[in-house]
Amino acid sequence: VRPDTSTHHAVPSIYTRGNPSRKAVALTFDAGAGLGYAASILDLLKANNIKGTFGMTGRWVLDNPSVAKRVVDEGHQVLNHTFDHRSFTEGNPGRRPLTRAQRWKEIDDAEATYHRVLGVGSDGWFRPPYMAWDWTCGCCWTSPAWCWRSCWRC
């Protein structure tokens, strides 16, 4: 995140691809609904000595603490995916976009849950729910307490 010195807000860094001269693939997984294939995915990654990034909602961590702890214990990166997976924009029909304060509450509540349950945080990595993002979200990535790096499709 690079700060905009005129407003003291961060301008999000959006990663859509890595260094093309490096042969690497970033595997990211979202965990926000049911348990799904999380254990099988972790088994496969472990068997092949592969690390991934898991975008877990705070609610999912509370509902699945042993699997969420396994993500951390096996060395995968935690990506903040909000607490309840509420859309930040009008991307979901029939729902109003979240306010700046509501967006921060979603992010902060998830981060607090990670620290309380997992003993680690997201290290500033964040992916908005539904990949719903627009320029009205840009100013919400930073606050006095946080600087967020946005991870879209790493």
Side-chain angles (χ1 to χ4, degrees):
V1 174
R2 57 189 167 81
D4 177 341
T5 55
S6 66
T7 63
H8 302 290
H9 293 289
V11 177
S13 298
I14 301 171
Y15 296 93
T16 57
R17 61 183 295 206
N19 182 343
S21 68
R22 223 176 122 213
K23 293 184 180 188
V25 174
L27 298 175
T28 64
F29 306 92
D30 284 355
L35 190 55
Y37 295 98
S40 297
I41 290 168
L42 287 167
D43 291 342
L44 180 66
L45 294 174
K46 185 174 184 176
N48 290 282
N49 196 30
I50 297 170
K51 301 300 179 206
T53 300
F54 285 77
M56 300 182 284
T57 66
R59 175 72 56 212
W60 191 88
V61 169
L62 291 176
D63 290 345
N64 304 285
S66 62
V67 178
K69 287 177 185 172
R70 185 176 166 198
V71 167
V72 172
D73 292 345
E74 294 180 6
H76 303 287
Q77 174 66 48
V78 173
L79 182 142
N80 190 313
H81 201 41
T82 72
F83 187 81
D84 277 323
H85 206 265
R86 294 172 60 199
S87 180
F88 279 19
T89 68
E90 292 178 334
N92 289 351
R95 293 202 171 185
R96 296 175 56 105
L98 297 181
T99 66
R100 179 183 166 103
Q102 289 170 321
R103 292 170 184 171
W104 271 112
K105 183 165 176 34
E106 283 287 315
I107 293 169
D108 290 340
D109 287 355
E111 197 69 22
T113 301
Y114 305 148
H115 283 282
R116 187 174 62 254
V117 175
L118 306 175
V120 300
S122 66
D123 194 28
W125 289 102
F126 172 78
R127 179 182 296 152
Y130 309 103
M131 303 294 265
W133 181 89
D134 62 27
W135 289 107
T136 67
C137 295
C139 64
C140 77
W141 302 139
T142 193
S143 77
W146 304 102
C147 271
W148 293 95
R149 293 176 275 189
S150 297
C151 180
W152 302 95
R153 294 183 184 132
C154 297

